[in-house]
Amino acid sequence: MADGLKELKIELSKNGIFTTTLEELYNWGRKNSVWPLTFGLACCAIEMIATTMARYDLARFGAEVFRPSPRQADLIIVSGTVTKKMAPQVVRLYNQMPEPKYVIAMGACAISGGPFRDGYNVLKGIDRYIPVDVHIPGCPPRPEALIHAFMTLQKKIDEQALTGPDRPRHLQAGQPSEYPVPAFGEHGLEPADNRDVFAAAEGNPLKVLQ
Amino acid sequence: MGWTDWMSTNLEHPWLTVVALLIGAVAFGFTPLALAWLWAKFFSPKKPGVQKNATYECGLESHGDAWIQFGASYYLYAIIFLVFDVEAVFLLPFAVAFTGLSAGACVAMLVFLLLLVEGLVWACQKGVLTWA
């Protein structure tokens, strides 16, 4: 929104007139009804489960409806160590989710391999294959951290423009909805990462560790 | 003439209320579905793909054919079990009343047993009881 319009909106709200745009209204609805996929990989999943329970209550953010099918989910929380055996399944599940879809990489393992980084069978971060929206460090991250990540994602959804050149991936016709699923090769997964996703992650602090 | 007068003169069929409620009920169900369908048709970002349209949705790749032939041996095994299961139901009162039975009744029961054992022998010769 242009600055002039934003000022006008603030001025109007001071005088008791509430204005909004279709985009804001649409994003407001989207960010408050994110349905995560019922999907846990390791110990972080326990924290994810705790987040949905009464004490932390993810339902406050409209995200309590964990869906057992990728067809009905908007968000995949990669919670735990992604082994090389599991990685193709994670990518395939992501591919089967309808647009718009988001990814939270939860915990040290999901973002970098964590303490098992040197293991022969551990993927060094799921962002090698699918575009991650929010990374959460921690081993495991506390439920507050997941809630913080969720609020970060909500903010990201809220700020997405629906038109123009800056519109998100899912609204651009040229962008793919499915990412290549890695296959087992002689020395681990092939390809080792998806260049379109991984190299695009500029400013990713994990990139220097490669 | 008021609205109620108009209704009582023109809409006096006794089933009219039911029809009105029926239309209301159908509309109540279909309107949200139609709105969702229209919204999806015009506004949803469509990005279909091979994996997204796949039948199986648990991340694993399905392989093989669903139209495979199952071995019928267990079916026959189960049928024979069922026959002898029912036989046991008859054997129990037979055993309880055995001392008071006449010779004819005893012979009748033994014939019944013989018929079933004959069936078992037949099934055994057919190879039903050997697990391949």
Side-chain angles (χ1 to χ4, degrees):
Chain A
M1 204 192 298
D3 286 341
L5 276 175
K6 212 169 261 178
E7 278 170 27
L8 181 66
K9 195 185 158 186
I10 293 165
E11 194 61 37
L12 280 169
S13 72
K14 279 178 188 162
N15 292 304
I17 300 167
F18 176 71
T19 53
T20 186
T21 59
L22 201 60
E23 185 177 282
E24 279 178 358
L25 203 64
Y26 187 62
N27 282 343
W28 174 76
R30 276 182 343 118
K31 77 167 185 179
N32 288 306
S33 60
V34 176
W35 288 4
L37 184 65
T38 316
F39 179 73
L41 285 174
C43 4
C44 283
I46 305 298
E47 301 294 317
M48 181 178 77
I49 294 159
T51 315
T52 63
M53 292 293 126
R55 184 178 284 270
Y56 296 100
D57 198 13
L58 199 62
R60 292 176 292 162
F61 303 91
E64 78 280 16
V65 201
F66 274 73
R67 306 310 297 177
S69 162
R71 313 265 196 239
Q72 304 164 355
D74 307 306
L75 167 69
I76 180 168
I77 302 173
V78 184
S79 51
T81 321
V82 187
T83 56
K84 283 181 181 168
K85 192 159 189 174
M86 197 62 193
Q89 273 70 260
V90 179
V91 178
R92 212 174 278 122
L93 279 176
Y94 176 77
N95 285 347
Q96 288 180 338
M97 282 160 60
E99 301 283 355
K101 51 191 172 187
Y102 301 95
V103 183
I104 290 179
M106 180 181 184
C109 294
I111 65 180
S112 69
F116 313 113
R117 190 181 164 81
D118 293 331
Y120 68 96
N121 61 338
V122 174
L123 185 70
K124 295 172 179 66
I126 192 63
D127 53 359
R128 281 161 191 263
Y129 293 116
I130 54 178
V132 175
D133 292 284
V134 185
H135 294 82
I136 321 173
C139 187
R142 284 188 57 85
E144 291 96 325
L146 181 58
I147 288 174
H148 180 239
F150 196 79
M151 288 164 75
T152 311
L153 180 68
Q154 281 190 319
K155 203 174 164 209
K156 187 173 179 174
I157 295 172
D158 202 30
E159 286 167 358
Q160 279 183 334
L162 299 177
T163 50
D166 295 333
R167 66 190 189 281
R169 187 188 53 80
H170 70 271
L171 291 172
Q172 292 184 16
Q175 293 285 325
S177 74
E178 292 191 359
Y179 288 86
V181 179
F184 296 111
E186 211 172 326
H187 306 288
L189 291 171
E190 283 173 3
D193 54 59
N194 180 359
R195 277 287 127 198
D196 296 337
V197 179
F198 199 42
E202 284 300 331
N204 182 354
L206 300 169
K207 220 169 132 55
V208 287
L209 296 174
Q210 279 181 63
Chain B
M1 195 168 71
W3 171 243
T4 45
D5 293 333
W6 183 84
M7 284 219 297
S8 61
T9 48
N10 291 303
L11 309 169
E12 59 191 2
H13 195 279
W15 290 96
L16 207 67
T17 333
V18 178
V19 171
L21 283 172
L22 184 73
I23 291 168
V26 170
F28 188 78
F30 274 92
T31 312
L33 287 176
L35 284 175
W37 182 79
L38 282 172
W39 181 269
K41 194 174 165 61
F42 291 109
F43 296 109
S44 74
K46 281 181 195 61
K47 279 187 186 291
V50 180
Q51 284 171 30
K52 199 185 271 188
N53 296 342
T55 316
Y56 200 49
E57 56 182 28
C58 291
L60 292 164
E61 229 170 350
S62 54
H63 59 87
D65 195 2
W67 292 87
I68 57 167
Q69 206 166 20
F70 288 95
S73 54
Y74 184 71
Y75 165 74
L76 289 171
Y77 195 84
I79 286 278
I80 293 167
F81 167 76
L82 194 70
V83 168
F84 283 92
D85 205 32
V86 175
E87 186 208 1
V89 175
F90 290 114
L91 274 181
L92 196 70
F94 173 67
V96 169
F98 186 70
T99 48
L101 282 182
S102 63
C106 199
V107 167
M109 195 62 202
L110 285 174
V111 167
F112 172 64
L113 272 180
L114 188 73
L115 280 172
L116 291 183
V117 169
E118 196 186 348
L120 185 66
V121 169
W122 176 83
C124 197
Q125 278 178 345
K126 279 276 184 183
V128 173
L129 300 181
T130 47
W131 216 251

